[in-house]
């Protein structure tokens, strides 16, 4: 009995898996040695295309099926050494991958892929097949609206239920094991005959042949499946042209010129039910093998939020228990200590679920570098370090665009053309390095090139031309920061890559919005390094709580250098009434937190308060507070979502007594508060 199940509920799983397969395919294509390609890499590329085609056909995504079928044929010839690789062929495969990505995005958004693009890429692949084999190319699919799905061919000769003989042809040992397991989920295996590349199974089942084919088509093609009654009657379909198939190929390399391309059939209701069973079984098997499961981000965020609330509750209980006699309530205190340790371990474990390796970001750049290098006529070697370094998922997705702009800048402006590099005594091939490493509570991401470096004189001249306040006495670090000014560009000509004076200011602003900062170092003739410093996560924070008047503020612990009590001789008043503090031979700007946030009843005299030395964006300053409370880990709450954006404040948290404490944006204070002592919060 067939069960009517909406197969669209499995779309998202297919989209995610296909996305991963396309990424893997691109990485393997980029890493191929054209002269001596690795056999396993060629097989992996073929399997990726084959898997996408099987899933696309099952769900009725005809454009995706047509494209992957043509690509799969070429890849199959490549892995069997019938088609010799060349850079042009690799370019065609990469272009096809891009089209597959666009088609996948279209289906994900509930629309049909562009028919003109489909016709063009199919024609390109067919022409390549013709040029490399001499076979006449089949006509490209007409750019028309997709045909309405047609039902799968009926199988009256093989009734549903009873004993069936399932013959699986040209199947690898690995696929045989997987198919045997899946068929076992559909009924009872009565017997089997195993050959080198064929598996025959007698199956007692209530499933229809259509359902069996639908399950097997997740692994192999419909042409490889023959189903017949177990009594030994004539097969329902001859080998190579079965009547039972869940996949009707739309384009074949050897199809007659006049033959119209049939549409991919939509699964029947019974097929949909078995699709669900097969999807679950495949997912379970894959997850068991890989030791991982696929969980929506929303569920992880919900768990993180609940753990945060648990930590806050634990802190409240600890503060309440602190007023009790530890001798009389020793068991309570012992339990509270254990609860605190367990809560912290749980919090760290849950946070680790949200962390992703930087390889998720770095894997996008080999293709970008390859394409841009060819476009610019440059030879560039991309090197990556720290791909296993982990960063919060919410940050790792937002860092892609800034890094992409920095890489494009290095390729366009930084690394010279081969003739210029040779003239300068360099290797004609330039080097671009992407690296990531943990540093305390931060992650440091660097984009380095060995190009011509930044020109100090050129930057200063352009800054003066734009009316920026500059002088020859500025340090190199201050001069390099000028390139982040809005509209700033030293490019002599505008290209489609850069030169319009937009981008670098957006890069800096985006990094600052993520709680990080950007540093630049450069040597003329030897290259430039852009350094991005980000917090590992925006969910929890190791902080130092301070008191100002009746208010409590949290300072990020990774910004705190030291704390001390100022002496009268250490505090001086500079020009425009701003105060500075002398600390071991260096005069640091002194910022009074009570003036910044207009806090009443705070200490006014610096010698009666505490000065905390903070560092942000490579610069140090002193912050005056009333007293230090202590260090602890806090759970961040978005202030802008629950209230409004407050200058100088990055977030808020709930303390053990239930009160709210504001978390200071140290970098924002360094940029604005140090130069302006007026309040930012009235």
């Amino acid at each position: 009995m067939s069960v009517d199940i909406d197969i669209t509920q499995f779309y998202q799983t297919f989209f995610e898996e296909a996305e991963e397969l396309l990424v893997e395919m691109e990485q393997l294509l980029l890493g191929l040695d054209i002269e001596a390609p690795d056999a396993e890499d060629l097989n992996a590329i073929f399997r990726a295309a084959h898997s996408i085609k099987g899933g696309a056909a099952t769900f009725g995504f005809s454009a995706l099926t047509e494209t992957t079928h043509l690509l799969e044929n070429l890849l199959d010839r490549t892995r069997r050494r019938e088609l010799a690789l060349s850079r042009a062929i690799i370019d065609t495969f990469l272009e096809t991958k891009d089209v597959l990505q666009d088609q996948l995005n279209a289906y994900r958004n509930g629309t049909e892929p562009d028919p003109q693009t489909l016709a063009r890429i199919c024609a390109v692949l067919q022409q390549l097949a013709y040029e490399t084999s001499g076979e006449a190319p089949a006509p490209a699919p007409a750019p028309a609206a997709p045909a309405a799905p047609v039902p799968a061919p009926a199988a009256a000769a093989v009734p549903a239920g009873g004993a069936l003989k399932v013959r699986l042809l040209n199947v690898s040992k690995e696929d045989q094991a997987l198919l045997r397991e899946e068929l076992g989920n559909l009924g009872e295996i009565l017997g089997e005959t195993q050959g080198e590349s064929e598996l025959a199974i007698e199956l007692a089942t209530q499933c229809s042949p259509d359902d069996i084919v639908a399950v097997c088509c997740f692994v192999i093609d419909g042409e490889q499946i023959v189903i017949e009654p177990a009594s030994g009657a004539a097969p329902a379909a001859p080998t190579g042209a079965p009547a039972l198939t869940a996949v009707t190929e739309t384009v074949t390399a050897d199809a007659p010129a006049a033959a119209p391309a049939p549409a991919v059939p939509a699964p029947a209701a019974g097929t949909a039910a078995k699709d669900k069973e097969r999807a679950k079984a495949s997912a379970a098997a894959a997850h068991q093998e890989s030791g991982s499961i696929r969980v929506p981000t929303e569920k992880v965020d919900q768990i993180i939020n609940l753990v945060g609330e648990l930590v806050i509750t634990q802190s409240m209980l600890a503060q309440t228990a602190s007023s009790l006699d530890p001798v009389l309530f020793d068991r309570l205190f012992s339990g509270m200590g254990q609860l605190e340790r367990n809560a912290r371990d749980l919090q760290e474990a849950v946070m680790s679920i949200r962390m992703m390796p930087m390889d998720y970001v770095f894997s996008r750049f080999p293709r970008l570098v390859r394409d841009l290098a060819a476009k610019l006529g440059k030879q560039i070697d991309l090197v990556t370090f720290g791909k296993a370094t982990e960063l919060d998922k919410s940050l790792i997705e937002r860092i892609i665009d800034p890094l992409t702009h920095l890489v494009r800048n290095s390729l366009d402006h930084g690394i010279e053309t081969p003739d210029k590099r040779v003239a300068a005594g360099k290797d004609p091939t330039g080097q671009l390095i992407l690296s990531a490493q943990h540093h305390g509570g931060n992650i440091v991401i660097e984009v380095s090139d060995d190009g011509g470096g930044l020109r100090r004189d050129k930057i200063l001249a352009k800054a003066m031309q734009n009316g920026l306040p500059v002088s020859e006495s500025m340090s190199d670090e201050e001069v390099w920061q000028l390139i982040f000014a809005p509209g700033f560009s030293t490019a002599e000509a505008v290209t489609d890559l850069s030169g319009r004076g937009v981008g670098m200011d957006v890069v800096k602003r985006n990094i600052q919005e993520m709680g990080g900062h950007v540093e630049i170092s450069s040597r003329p003739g030897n290259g430039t390094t852009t350094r991005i410093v980000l917090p590992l996560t925006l969910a929890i924070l190791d902080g130092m709580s301070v008191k100002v008047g009746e208010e409590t503020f949290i300072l990020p612990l990774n910004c705190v250098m030291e704390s001390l009590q100022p002496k009268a001789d250490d505090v001086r008043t500079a020009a425009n009434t701003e105060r500075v503090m002398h600390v071991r031979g260096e005069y640091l700007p002194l910022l009074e937190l009570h003036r910044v946030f207009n806090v009443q009843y705070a200490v006014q005299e610096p010698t009666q308060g505490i000065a905390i030395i903070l560092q942000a964006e490579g610069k140090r300053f002193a912050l005056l507070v009333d007293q230090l409370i202590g260090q602890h880990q806090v759970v961040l709450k978005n202030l802008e979502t629950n209230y409004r954006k407050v200058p100088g404040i990055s977030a808020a948290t709930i303390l053990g007594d239930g009160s709210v404490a504001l978390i200071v944006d140290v970098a924002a204070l360094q940029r604005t508060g140090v130069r302006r002592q007026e309040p930012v919060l009235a």
Side-chain angles (χ1 to χ4, degrees):
M1 178 179 179
S2 297
V3 181
D4 189 8
I5 294 181
D6 182 11
I7 200 172
T8 60
Q9 63 183 298
F10 306 112
Y11 280 6
Q12 188 58 38
T13 299
F14 167 71
F15 293 146
E16 292 175 356
E17 292 179 352
E19 184 94 30
E20 293 173 359
L21 289 170
L22 288 175
V23 171
E24 179 188 8
M25 183 188 298
E26 181 178 89
Q27 291 176 343
L28 291 171
L29 285 170
L30 292 172
L32 282 179
D33 182 350
I34 295 178
E35 301 299 329
D38 182 76
E40 184 52 42
D41 288 346
L42 293 176
N43 286 328
I45 297 170
F46 171 82
R47 286 195 299 268
H50 181 78
S51 298
I52 295 173
K53 186 190 78 169
T58 300
F59 292 116
F61 298 147
S62 57
L64 200 58
T65 306
E66 294 174 17
T67 310
T68 48
H69 173 67
L70 292 173
L71 176 63
E72 180 190 42
N73 288 342
L74 290 168
L75 291 172
D76 187 39
R77 291 177 52 202
T78 302
R79 68 173 182 158
R80 288 190 279 113
R81 309 296 180 176
E82 296 175 2
L83 174 60
L85 285 176
S86 67
R87 183 178 179 85
I89 291 178
I90 295 294
D91 289 342
T92 300
F93 289 166
L94 289 171
E95 180 186 4
T96 307
K97 177 265 170 187
D98 292 340
V99 172
L100 293 174
Q101 183 68 64
D102 292 340
Q103 292 174 348
L104 192 68
N105 293 338
Y107 286 123
R108 190 196 298 267
N109 296 328
T111 62
E112 282 292 325
D114 179 54
Q116 281 77 23
T117 303
L118 170 63
R120 182 188 61 79
I121 197 63
C122 287
V124 169
L125 294 173
Q126 289 168 344
Q127 183 64 29
L128 177 59
Y130 168 69
E131 292 174 350
T132 56
S133 68
E135 298 177 358
V150 296
V158 186
L164 299 175
K165 184 175 183 180
V166 183
R167 293 170 56 209
L168 308 174
L169 313 176
N170 300 320
V171 182
S172 67
K173 295 292 185 182
E174 179 183 355
D175 287 343
Q176 285 184 20
L178 178 59
L179 289 165
R180 183 187 298 106
E181 179 182 352
E182 297 308 329
L183 290 174
N185 294 329
L186 301 182
E188 180 183 356
I189 296 179
L190 303 177
E192 67 176 80
T193 303
Q194 183 177 3
E196 185 63 29
S197 60
E198 179 178 342
L199 176 66
I201 290 180
E202 291 191 9
L203 183 68
T205 178
Q206 295 300 314
C207 297
S208 70
D210 285 344
D211 296 338
I212 296 174
V213 171
V215 169
C216 294
C217 276
F218 273 84
V219 182
I220 59 178
D221 287 337
E223 291 89 346
Q224 299 172 256
I225 308 166
V226 176
I227 301 179
E228 56 192 33
S231 60
T239 302
L244 300 173
T245 174
V247 184
T248 302
E249 300 297 357
T250 314
V251 180
T252 56
D254 54 354
V264 176
T271 303
K274 298 309 170 185
D275 286 341
K276 177 182 178 182
E277 296 176 7
R278 176 61 178 85
K280 285 184 175 180
S282 294
H287 295 158
Q288 184 177 12
E289 292 173 4
S290 64
S292 64
I293 59 174
R294 195 183 301 274
V295 179
T297 305
E298 295 76 15
K299 291 187 177 181
V300 177
D301 290 341
Q302 184 181 12
I303 295 175
I304 290 174
N305 186 62
L306 290 173
V307 171
E309 296 297 331
L310 175 64
V311 172
I312 292 172
T313 303
Q314 177 269 324
S315 179
M316 290 180 177
L317 291 174
Q319 186 159 333
T320 301
S322 63
S323 61
L324 302 177
D325 188 341
V327 176
L328 297 177
F329 298 94
D330 61 320
R331 294 185 62 186
L332 173 63
F333 275 85
S334 176
M336 289 299 301
Q338 185 65 40
L339 175 62
E340 181 179 4
R341 289 189 295 272
N342 290 343
R344 176 175 283 269
D345 290 344
L346 176 61
Q347 187 179 53
E348 292 178 354
V350 171
M351 285 307 305
S352 68
I353 298 176
R354 194 179 169 88
M355 306 300 279
M356 294 180 64
M358 282 298 296
D359 185 43
Y360 177 82
V361 177
F362 287 171
S363 63
R364 299 167 182 261
F365 291 106
R367 174 72 183 282
L368 175 67
V369 171
R370 180 182 189 272
D371 292 348
L372 290 184
K375 186 173 185 177
L376 295 168
K378 298 179 179 180
Q379 301 173 11
I380 298 173
D381 182 22
L382 175 65
V383 181
T384 57
F385 297 102
K387 292 190 292 186
T389 306
E390 292 186 327
L391 180 64
D392 190 291
K393 183 179 187 296
S394 64
L395 294 176
I396 210 166
E397 292 178 341
R398 293 165 62 184
I399 196 63
I400 292 174
D401 285 345
L403 276 182
T404 300
H405 191 89
L406 293 175
V407 168
R408 291 168 71 95
N409 262 14
S410 289
L411 298 181
D412 193 18
H413 296 306
I415 299 177
E416 314 93 330
T417 56
D419 55 336
K420 290 184 178 179
R421 292 181 62 87
V422 171
K426 296 182 177 181
D427 189 292
T429 300
Q431 189 176 70
L432 178 68
I433 300 176
L434 298 178
S435 66
Q437 61 177 328
H438 287 157
H439 185 74
N442 294 324
I443 184 173
V444 178
I445 306 169
E446 291 187 349
V447 179
S448 304
D449 65 66
D450 63 349
L454 297 177
R455 290 271 304 275
R456 176 187 172 95
D457 55 343
K458 199 171 184 179
I459 293 175
L460 283 174
K462 187 65 175 182
M464 293 177 184
Q465 181 182 335
N466 289 0
L468 298 176
V470 296
S471 68
E472 292 291 343
S473 61
M474 295 175 64
S475 66
D476 284 345
E477 289 74 16
E478 292 173 319
V479 173
W480 307 148
Q481 287 292 321
L482 292 173
I483 68 175
F484 292 111
F488 190 92
S489 176
T490 59
E492 297 176 358
V494 174
T495 69
D496 59 346
L497 294 181
S498 58
R500 293 175 177 81
V502 294
M504 292 300 284
D505 60 321
V506 177
V507 168
K508 185 174 183 178
R509 184 167 66 250
N510 289 346
I511 298 301
Q512 290 174 348
E513 288 175 355
M514 289 186 276
H517 66 274
V518 188
E519 304 169 2
I520 294 182
S521 60
S522 182
R523 291 186 300 165
N526 290 300
T528 301
T529 297
T530 305
R531 192 168 186 256
I532 299 173
V533 182
L534 289 173
L536 291 178
T537 177
L538 295 181
I540 59 174
L541 174 77
D542 287 315
M544 173 179 286
S545 55
V546 299
K547 198 81 170 179
V548 179
E550 299 298 322
E551 303 294 334
T552 300
F553 294 90
I554 305 293
L555 302 175
L557 198 58
N558 61 337
C559 295
V560 177
M561 308 299 293
E562 61 179 313
S563 60
L564 47 89
Q565 188 165 20
K567 298 179 181 178
D569 294 341
D570 295 335
V571 180
R572 309 286 178 85
T573 301
N576 60 19
T577 70
E578 291 186 0
R579 288 178 169 177
V580 296
M581 181 175 171
H582 186 259
V583 180
R584 287 188 291 277
E586 181 182 8
Y587 284 96
L588 303 177
L590 178 62
L591 183 62
E592 299 169 74
L593 198 57
H594 71 89
R595 292 182 61 186
V596 175
F597 296 113
N598 197 22
V599 180
Q600 298 180 348
Y601 314 115
V603 172
Q604 304 291 323
E605 178 57 41
T607 56
Q608 298 178 8
I610 300 293
I612 302 177
I613 310 303
L614 302 172
Q615 179 168 324
E617 301 185 355
K619 299 179 181 179
R620 300 201 307 162
F621 67 97
L623 184 68
L624 184 66
V625 301
D626 291 6
Q627 64 183 45
L628 304 180
I629 298 178
Q631 300 178 13
H632 47 270
Q633 195 173 60
V634 297
V635 179
L636 302 182
K637 299 292 183 180
N638 190 300
L639 190 62
E640 190 171 352
T641 301
N642 298 288
Y643 176 53
R644 64 178 173 85
K645 186 174 180 62
V646 178
I649 296 296
S650 61
T653 190
I654 301 175
L655 301 177
D657 60 1
S659 63
V660 175
L662 299 178
I663 299 172
V664 177
D665 187 342
V666 176
L669 290 189
Q670 192 282 129
R671 290 192 298 269
T672 59
V674 169
R675 296 188 292 273
R676 300 196 325 268
Q677 287 282 318
E678 68 270 17
V680 298
L681 179 63

